Amino acid sequence: MYVNLYLASTLRRPERGLVIEQTSAYPAQGVRTLTFREGGGALDLRLRVPSWAMTAGLFTTAERDRVVAAATATDLPR
């Protein structure tokens, strides 16, 4: 799955039983949260890091901190 827009939204993939919720308080805060509400199994998640972001810090429950360069994409296997 490729995430390139960071807007508050919900993705539902009934064929996989997958529900992912994206929350944001933009522009008040620069934090975006992706929460896997339902579903399981392997999923490759690719996140776009916009050029204006300079760098981005990613925080997951499995991996506490990763810094990613701007104008790139990063993969997070799930």
Side-chain angles (χ1 to χ4, degrees), residues 1-11 20-24 26 30-34 45-50 52 72-73:
M1 182 176 81
Y2 192 83
V3 178
N4 65 341
L5 292 175
Y6 295 99
L7 304 170
S9 58
T10 301
L11 170 71
I20 303 173
E21 182 180 62
Q22 183 175 192
T23 56
S24 165
Y26 185 80
V31 176
R32 307 298 183 270
T33 303
L34 290 175
L45 182 64
R46 187 168 187 111
L47 305 172
R48 180 183 67 90
V49 180
W52 51 262
T72 64

